[in-house]
PDB file of all heavy atoms in Angstrom:
ATOM      1  N   ARG A  36       8.159  -2.882  -8.803  1.00  0.00           N
ATOM      2  CA  ARG A  36       9.214  -3.802  -8.286  1.00  0.00           C
ATOM      3  C   ARG A  36      10.059  -3.064  -7.269  1.00  0.00           C
ATOM      4  O   ARG A  36      10.366  -3.628  -6.216  1.00  0.00           O
ATOM      5  CB  ARG A  36      10.032  -4.311  -9.468  1.00  0.00           C
ATOM      6  CG  ARG A  36      10.977  -5.398  -9.036  1.00  0.00           C
ATOM      7  CD  ARG A  36      11.667  -5.961 -10.265  1.00  0.00           C
ATOM      8  NE  ARG A  36      12.478  -7.083  -9.863  1.00  0.00           N
ATOM      9  CZ  ARG A  36      12.920  -8.014 -10.674  1.00  0.00           C
ATOM     10  NH1 ARG A  36      12.618  -7.948 -11.996  1.00  0.00           N
ATOM     11  NH2 ARG A  36      13.627  -8.985 -10.262  1.00  0.00           N
ATOM     12  N   ALA A  37      10.454  -1.865  -7.566  1.00  0.00           N
ATOM     13  CA  ALA A  37      11.286  -1.072  -6.634  1.00  0.00           C
ATOM     14  C   ALA A  37      10.532  -0.833  -5.319  1.00  0.00           C
ATOM     15  O   ALA A  37      11.131  -0.898  -4.219  1.00  0.00           O
ATOM     16  CB  ALA A  37      11.718   0.249  -7.269  1.00  0.00           C
ATOM     17  N   ALA A  38       9.240  -0.535  -5.429  1.00  0.00           N
ATOM     18  CA  ALA A  38       8.423  -0.291  -4.210  1.00  0.00           C
ATOM     19  C   ALA A  38       8.343  -1.555  -3.369  1.00  0.00           C
ATOM     20  O   ALA A  38       8.430  -1.504  -2.152  1.00  0.00           O
ATOM     21  CB  ALA A  38       7.033   0.207  -4.631  1.00  0.00           C
ATOM     22  N   LEU A  39       8.159  -2.710  -4.036  1.00  0.00           N
ATOM     23  CA  LEU A  39       8.127  -3.987  -3.305  1.00  0.00           C
ATOM     24  C   LEU A  39       9.471  -4.240  -2.615  1.00  0.00           C
ATOM     25  O   LEU A  39       9.464  -4.569  -1.417  1.00  0.00           O
ATOM     26  CB  LEU A  39       7.833  -5.128  -4.297  1.00  0.00           C
ATOM     27  CG  LEU A  39       6.369  -5.374  -4.659  1.00  0.00           C
ATOM     28  CD1 LEU A  39       6.253  -6.231  -5.895  1.00  0.00           C
ATOM     29  CD2 LEU A  39       5.634  -6.024  -3.484  1.00  0.00           C
ATOM     30  N   GLU A  40      10.558  -4.050  -3.314  1.00  0.00           N
ATOM     31  CA  GLU A  40      11.874  -4.322  -2.745  1.00  0.00           C
ATOM     32  C   GLU A  40      12.192  -3.376  -1.612  1.00  0.00           C
ATOM     33  O   GLU A  40      12.741  -3.750  -0.613  1.00  0.00           O
ATOM     34  CB  GLU A  40      12.940  -4.267  -3.860  1.00  0.00           C
ATOM     35  CG  GLU A  40      12.792  -5.450  -4.799  1.00  0.00           C
ATOM     36  CD  GLU A  40      13.652  -5.365  -6.052  1.00  0.00           C
ATOM     37  OE1 GLU A  40      14.309  -4.337  -6.256  1.00  0.00           O
ATOM     38  OE2 GLU A  40      13.657  -6.349  -6.841  1.00  0.00           O
ATOM     39  N   SER A  41      11.837  -2.130  -1.797  1.00  0.00           N
ATOM     40  CA  SER A  41      12.078  -1.121  -0.737  1.00  0.00           C
ATOM     41  C   SER A  41      11.218  -1.402   0.521  1.00  0.00           C
ATOM     42  O   SER A  41      11.723  -1.277   1.642  1.00  0.00           O
ATOM     43  CB  SER A  41      11.760   0.279  -1.273  1.00  0.00           C
ATOM     44  OG  SER A  41      11.997   1.230  -0.290  1.00  0.00           O
ATOM     45  N   THR A  42       9.988  -1.809   0.295  1.00  0.00           N
ATOM     46  CA  THR A  42       9.110  -2.161   1.429  1.00  0.00           C
ATOM     47  C   THR A  42       9.688  -3.306   2.203  1.00  0.00           C
ATOM     48  O   THR A  42       9.756  -3.320   3.413  1.00  0.00           O
ATOM     49  CB  THR A  42       7.672  -2.472   0.952  1.00  0.00           C
ATOM     50  OG1 THR A  42       7.155  -1.304   0.299  1.00  0.00           O
ATOM     51  CG2 THR A  42       6.771  -2.841   2.076  1.00  0.00           C
ATOM     52  N   ILE A  43      10.108  -4.366   1.442  1.00  0.00           N
ATOM     53  CA  ILE A  43      10.702  -5.542   2.097  1.00  0.00           C
ATOM     54  C   ILE A  43      11.919  -5.161   2.886  1.00  0.00           C
ATOM     55  O   ILE A  43      12.106  -5.583   4.019  1.00  0.00           O
ATOM     56  CB  ILE A  43      11.031  -6.620   1.017  1.00  0.00           C
ATOM     57  CG1 ILE A  43       9.717  -7.223   0.499  1.00  0.00           C
ATOM     58  CG2 ILE A  43      11.955  -7.705   1.582  1.00  0.00           C
ATOM     59  CD1 ILE A  43       9.896  -8.100  -0.714  1.00  0.00           C
ATOM     60  N   SER A  44      12.747  -4.278   2.304  1.00  0.00           N
ATOM     61  CA  SER A  44      13.973  -3.810   3.004  1.00  0.00           C
ATOM     62  C   SER A  44      13.596  -3.076   4.295  1.00  0.00           C
ATOM     63  O   SER A  44      14.255  -3.265   5.353  1.00  0.00           O
ATOM     64  CB  SER A  44      14.764  -2.907   2.056  1.00  0.00           C
ATOM     65  OG  SER A  44      15.857  -2.341   2.742  1.00  0.00           O
ATOM     66  N   LYS A  45      12.595  -2.221   4.260  1.00  0.00           N
ATOM     67  CA  LYS A  45      12.214  -1.457   5.437  1.00  0.00           C
ATOM     68  C   LYS A  45      11.587  -2.355   6.503  1.00  0.00           C
ATOM     69  O   LYS A  45      11.807  -2.141   7.685  1.00  0.00           O
ATOM     70  CB  LYS A  45      11.277  -0.337   5.025  1.00  0.00           C
ATOM     71  CG  LYS A  45      11.984   0.749   4.234  1.00  0.00           C
ATOM     72  CD  LYS A  45      11.060   1.887   3.901  1.00  0.00           C
ATOM     73  CE  LYS A  45      11.715   2.924   3.032  1.00  0.00           C
ATOM     74  NZ  LYS A  45      12.849   3.579   3.626  1.00  0.00           N
ATOM     75  N   VAL A  46      10.838  -3.376   6.069  1.00  0.00           N
ATOM     76  CA  VAL A  46      10.270  -4.328   7.080  1.00  0.00           C
ATOM     77  C   VAL A  46      11.405  -5.134   7.737  1.00  0.00           C
ATOM     78  O   VAL A  46      11.406  -5.316   8.957  1.00  0.00           O
ATOM     79  CB  VAL A  46       9.215  -5.262   6.413  1.00  0.00           C
ATOM     80  CG1 VAL A  46       8.792  -6.364   7.346  1.00  0.00           C
ATOM     81  CG2 VAL A  46       8.016  -4.452   5.930  1.00  0.00           C
ATOM     82  N   LYS A  47      12.381  -5.548   6.919  1.00  0.00           N
ATOM     83  CA  LYS A  47      13.518  -6.291   7.470  1.00  0.00           C
ATOM     84  C   LYS A  47      14.279  -5.391   8.464  1.00  0.00           C
ATOM     85  O   LYS A  47      14.728  -5.858   9.505  1.00  0.00           O
ATOM     86  CB  LYS A  47      14.462  -6.743   6.398  1.00  0.00           C
ATOM     87  CG  LYS A  47      13.922  -7.949   5.613  1.00  0.00           C
ATOM     88  CD  LYS A  47      14.901  -8.366   4.519  1.00  0.00           C
ATOM     89  CE  LYS A  47      14.363  -9.592   3.796  1.00  0.00           C
ATOM     90  NZ  LYS A  47      15.285 -10.050   2.742  1.00  0.00           N
ATOM     91  N   ALA A  48      14.432  -4.103   8.147  1.00  0.00           N
ATOM     92  CA  ALA A  48      15.107  -3.206   9.090  1.00  0.00           C
ATOM     93  C   ALA A  48      14.338  -3.063  10.381  1.00  0.00           C
ATOM     94  O   ALA A  48      14.916  -2.999  11.477  1.00  0.00           O
ATOM     95  CB  ALA A  48      15.316  -1.836   8.410  1.00  0.00           C
ATOM     96  N   SER A  49      13.016  -3.060  10.272  1.00  0.00           N
ATOM     97  CA  SER A  49      12.158  -2.961  11.458  1.00  0.00           C
ATOM     98  C   SER A  49      12.293  -4.230  12.298  1.00  0.00           C
ATOM     99  O   SER A  49      12.391  -4.115  13.556  1.00  0.00           O
ATOM    100  CB  SER A  49      10.710  -2.791  11.058  1.00  0.00           C
ATOM    101  OG  SER A  49      10.509  -1.636  10.295  1.00  0.00           O
ATOM    102  N   ILE A  50      12.335  -5.374  11.657  1.00  0.00           N
ATOM    103  CA  ILE A  50      12.506  -6.638  12.396  1.00  0.00           C
ATOM    104  C   ILE A  50      13.879  -6.650  13.095  1.00  0.00           C
ATOM    105  O   ILE A  50      13.983  -7.042  14.235  1.00  0.00           O
ATOM    106  CB  ILE A  50      12.360  -7.868  11.446  1.00  0.00           C
ATOM    107  CG1 ILE A  50      10.890  -7.965  10.985  1.00  0.00           C
ATOM    108  CG2 ILE A  50      12.803  -9.149  12.135  1.00  0.00           C
ATOM    109  CD1 ILE A  50      10.700  -8.967   9.852  1.00  0.00           C
ATOM    110  N   SER A  51      14.914  -6.231  12.421  1.00  0.00           N
ATOM    111  CA  SER A  51      16.252  -6.163  12.994  1.00  0.00           C
ATOM    112  C   SER A  51      16.274  -5.242  14.231  1.00  0.00           C
ATOM    113  O   SER A  51      16.906  -5.507  15.211  1.00  0.00           O
ATOM    114  CB  SER A  51      17.248  -5.672  11.983  1.00  0.00           C
ATOM    115  OG  SER A  51      17.417  -6.600  10.946  1.00  0.00           O
ATOM    116  N   ALA A  52      15.560  -4.132  14.135  1.00  0.00           N
ATOM    117  CA  ALA A  52      15.491  -3.217  15.243  1.00  0.00           C
ATOM    118  C   ALA A  52      14.812  -3.860  16.447  1.00  0.00           C
ATOM    119  O   ALA A  52      15.296  -3.708  17.586  1.00  0.00           O
ATOM    120  CB  ALA A  52      14.757  -1.908  14.854  1.00  0.00           C
ATOM    121  N   VAL A  53      13.714  -4.584  16.207  1.00  0.00           N
ATOM    122  CA  VAL A  53      13.016  -5.261  17.311  1.00  0.00           C
ATOM    123  C   VAL A  53      13.971  -6.307  17.928  1.00  0.00           C
ATOM    124  O   VAL A  53      14.116  -6.356  19.155  1.00  0.00           O
ATOM    125  CB  VAL A  53      11.720  -5.910  16.803  1.00  0.00           C
ATOM    126  CG1 VAL A  53      11.161  -6.861  17.893  1.00  0.00           C
ATOM    127  CG2 VAL A  53      10.682  -4.884  16.463  1.00  0.00           C
ATOM    128  N   GLU A  54      14.567  -7.087  17.072  1.00  0.00           N
ATOM    129  CA  GLU A  54      15.456  -8.167  17.555  1.00  0.00           C
ATOM    130  C   GLU A  54      16.713  -7.603  18.212  1.00  0.00           C
ATOM    131  O   GLU A  54      17.334  -8.259  19.052  1.00  0.00           O
ATOM    132  CB  GLU A  54      15.804  -9.130  16.410  1.00  0.00           C
ATOM    133  CG  GLU A  54      14.593  -9.919  15.963  1.00  0.00           C
ATOM    134  CD  GLU A  54      14.888 -10.776  14.737  1.00  0.00           C
ATOM    135  OE1 GLU A  54      15.932 -10.611  14.087  1.00  0.00           O
ATOM    136  OE2 GLU A  54      14.044 -11.629  14.442  1.00  0.00           O
ATOM    137  N   GLY A  55      17.107  -6.409  17.814  1.00  0.00           N
ATOM    138  CA  GLY A  55      18.298  -5.763  18.414  1.00  0.00           C
ATOM    139  C   GLY A  55      18.020  -5.002  19.649  1.00  0.00           C
ATOM    140  O   GLY A  55      18.916  -4.404  20.251  1.00  0.00           O
ATOM    141  N   GLY A  56      16.776  -5.000  20.105  1.00  0.00           N
ATOM    142  CA  GLY A  56      16.423  -4.359  21.349  1.00  0.00           C
ATOM    143  C   GLY A  56      16.257  -2.842  21.260  1.00  0.00           C
ATOM    144  O   GLY A  56      16.391  -2.105  22.230  1.00  0.00           O
ATOM    145  N   ALA A  57      15.886  -2.338  20.076  1.00  0.00           N
ATOM    146  CA  ALA A  57      15.674  -0.871  19.911  1.00  0.00           C
ATOM    147  C   ALA A  57      14.459  -0.442  20.736  1.00  0.00           C
ATOM    148  O   ALA A  57      13.596  -1.255  21.086  1.00  0.00           O
ATOM    149  CB  ALA A  57      15.440  -0.569  18.479  1.00  0.00           C
ATOM    150  N   ASP A  58      14.443   0.818  21.054  1.00  0.00           N
ATOM    151  CA  ASP A  58      13.309   1.367  21.844  1.00  0.00           C
ATOM    152  C   ASP A  58      12.065   1.453  20.969  1.00  0.00           C
ATOM    153  O   ASP A  58      12.104   1.428  19.736  1.00  0.00           O
ATOM    154  CB  ASP A  58      13.679   2.748  22.421  1.00  0.00           C
ATOM    155  CG  ASP A  58      13.975   3.765  21.358  1.00  0.00           C
ATOM    156  OD1 ASP A  58      13.040   4.423  20.883  1.00  0.00           O
ATOM    157  OD2 ASP A  58      15.172   3.856  20.950  1.00  0.00           O
ATOM    158  N   LYS A  59      10.943   1.620  21.633  1.00  0.00           N
ATOM    159  CA  LYS A  59       9.648   1.592  20.910  1.00  0.00           C
ATOM    160  C   LYS A  59       9.513   2.733  19.887  1.00  0.00           C
ATOM    161  O   LYS A  59       8.905   2.556  18.852  1.00  0.00           O
ATOM    162  CB  LYS A  59       8.481   1.585  21.877  1.00  0.00           C
ATOM    163  CG  LYS A  59       8.304   2.840  22.702  1.00  0.00           C
ATOM    164  CD  LYS A  59       7.145   2.705  23.648  1.00  0.00           C
ATOM    165  CE  LYS A  59       6.839   4.006  24.378  1.00  0.00           C
ATOM    166  NZ  LYS A  59       5.689   3.931  25.234  1.00  0.00           N
ATOM    167  N   GLU A  60      10.076   3.880  20.164  1.00  0.00           N
ATOM    168  CA  GLU A  60       9.931   5.026  19.222  1.00  0.00           C
ATOM    169  C   GLU A  60      10.689   4.725  17.948  1.00  0.00           C
ATOM    170  O   GLU A  60      10.201   5.030  16.865  1.00  0.00           O
ATOM    171  CB  GLU A  60      10.460   6.310  19.863  1.00  0.00           C
ATOM    172  CG  GLU A  60       9.596   6.892  20.958  1.00  0.00           C
ATOM    173  CD  GLU A  60       9.900   6.233  22.327  1.00  0.00           C
ATOM    174  OE1 GLU A  60      10.908   5.565  22.458  1.00  0.00           O
ATOM    175  OE2 GLU A  60       9.045   6.408  23.211  1.00  0.00           O
TER     176      GLU A  60
END
Side-chain angles (χ1 to χ4, degrees):
R36 188 174 186 161
L39 278 163
E40 291 170 354
S41 180
T42 300
I43 289 169
S44 175
K45 290 182 184 298
V46 172
K47 285 181 178 180
S49 300
I50 292 170
S51 293
V53 169
E54 291 174 347
D58 61 89
K59 67 181 186 177
E60 290 84 15

